[in-house]
Amino acid sequence: MSSSGGSTGSPGSVLSVAARFFDEYLATTPHKLKLLDAYLFYILLTGAMQFLYCLLVGTFPFNSFLSGFISCVGSFVLAVCLRIQINPQNKGDFVGISPERAFADFLFANTILHLVVMNFIG
């Protein structure tokens, strides 16, 4: 049996695939999408830290934890929708929607989301 052409699953091959993915991401992704990806990563970390805090300390003011976590999840979903709409590769799917219109929709939906979250806190 020869080992030509098969994937061995070695850590070196995984690292080389990750490095190539990262290099292609840096080379081909527009700056606006990179900025939005950084925002998405920040929201993801914030939600993970809130959930970890809930596991370690407890959920005494449960409405506060739930409001913060719902805010993170909702903001993440809305930002992903914005990223899909402003991605130049998806221009054919969103013919009548300009990037400015997508951003205005994002701001409006975020305002409604955070009004609901603030109301839920009590």
Side-chain angles (χ1 to χ4, degrees):
M1 288 194 163
S2 67
S3 64
S4 64
S7 64
T8 60
S10 67
S13 66
V14 172
L15 289 177
S16 67
V17 168
R20 182 174 173 179
F21 174 76
F22 187 68
D23 290 340
E24 286 185 19
Y25 173 80
L26 290 177
T28 60
T29 305
H31 182 67
K32 287 180 183 178
L33 292 182
K34 289 178 189 173
L35 191 61
L36 196 54
D37 289 340
Y39 175 66
L40 285 167
F41 184 67
Y42 167 72
I43 295 172
L44 182 73
L45 287 181
T46 303
M49 288 186 340
Q50 286 180 359
F51 189 72
L52 183 66
Y53 180 83
C54 173
L55 290 177
L56 295 176
V57 177
T59 62
F60 166 60
F62 188 68
N63 283 359
S64 297
F65 161 71
L66 207 54
S67 294
F69 196 71
I70 288 172
S71 173
C72 286
V73 171
S75 295
F76 187 85
V77 169
L78 291 174
V80 167
C81 291
L82 176 64
R83 189 188 193 288
I84 290 171
Q85 289 179 356
I86 66 171
N87 190 350
Q89 294 177 347
N90 298 335
K91 199 163 248 183
D93 294 333
F94 302 100
V95 176
I97 300 176
S98 68
E100 292 81 12
R101 162 78 191 274
F103 187 67
D105 290 345
F106 169 75
L107 290 178
F108 177 73
N110 252 323
T111 302
I112 299 300
L113 170 70
H114 285 91
L115 284 173
V116 170
V117 165
M118 293 301 286
N119 187 34
F120 189 71
I121 287 176

